[in-house]
Amino acid sequence: MTNTETLNSANEKRRSGRNEEADVIYNRLLSLEPNNTDYIFNKALNIINTNPNLALDLFEKVIVINPDLIHTYRNICILSEQTGQHKRGLEIFDNYLIQHPENIEVVYEKSALLGNSGDPLNSLLLLYKVIEYCYSNECPASLDISQIIQDIALSKTNLRNQTTSSYVFDETLYEYYNDKTLIELSYELPEAQKIFGNENYYFGDGKY
């Protein structure tokens, strides 16, 4: 049996809930090729429910070996939230985005983790970047515009729930949506002066 056939066998066992048997096979494969990202990724999937911390370690190892395996970042987002390791997950995203700032799929995953970590403001700013990209370019197959709009609405709700008279204005979005009806919304932003200075700002909310 080839290694590919052996991996397929392990994956079938994993999908059928025979995780311990699958793990034995993944370990055997990894003993032959310890840096094979397919083996590492599938072993991580196999232990997500039983050992999420180790699964996160393995997903991080995958992108250390190959940072362009974009589908791995969604699992990192989920597990960083599940294990309460938001800071670690955000550092992983930042390290990638320093080199690839326009990878909109990773930007989206970072926005999700920011929102889950209690930072709806910066989550919303990234979501605006994502929605602007998707309206200006071909949206990646992994992203759904209707879901992004729902995420924007949720981030706005979280900000509104803090209730204040501080305002934020996204100039780029205003210019992009200047042919649409814009709605000015105010939010509670305790860190507004630190982030934006003393000026008043607004979010431009286009009618999608």
Side-chain angles (χ1 to χ4, degrees), residues 29-136:
L29 290 168
L30 284 166
S31 70
L32 301 173
E33 297 180 62
N35 291 325
N36 185 303
T37 55
D38 284 337
Y39 302 165
I40 300 168
F41 183 87
N42 282 285
K43 176 179 172 64
L45 288 179
N46 192 54
I47 61 173
I48 277 180
N49 294 324
T50 56
N51 195 341
N53 286 293
L54 178 56
L56 180 56
D57 291 342
L58 292 173
F59 284 129
E60 184 173 7
K61 183 177 181 180
V62 168
I63 60 168
V64 167
I65 297 170
N66 185 351
D68 294 326
L69 293 175
I70 303 303
H71 58 281
T72 309
Y73 290 90
R74 176 151 298 181
N75 292 290
I76 290 173
C77 177
I78 293 169
L79 285 173
S80 296
E81 163 64 14
Q82 184 178 333
T83 62
Q85 299 184 69
H86 301 95
K87 182 178 179 181
R88 177 184 177 185
L90 291 170
E91 287 176 352
I92 293 171
F93 291 136
D94 288 340
N95 289 337
Y96 179 81
L97 290 170
I98 287 171
Q99 301 296 324
H100 309 277
E102 298 308 315
N103 190 304
I104 213 66
E105 292 168 285
V106 178
V107 171
Y108 178 77
E109 296 303 333
K110 181 182 176 182
S111 75
L113 188 54
L114 282 167
N116 291 335
S117 66
D119 188 356
L121 172 60
N122 284 303
S123 175
L124 184 55
L125 292 174
L126 289 184
L127 286 169
Y128 272 137
K129 181 177 180 179
V130 173
I131 198 73
E132 181 180 13
Y133 178 93
C134 286
Y135 277 127
S136 304

Side-chain angles (χ1 to χ4, degrees), residues 7 19 27 41 70 99 112 137 148 169 171 177 179 199:
L7 177 62
N19 301 88
N27 289 338
F41 183 87
I70 303 303
Q99 301 296 324
N137 306 274
I148 298 167
F169 177 64
E171 185 67 34
Y177 291 118
D179 60 335
E199 300 178 40

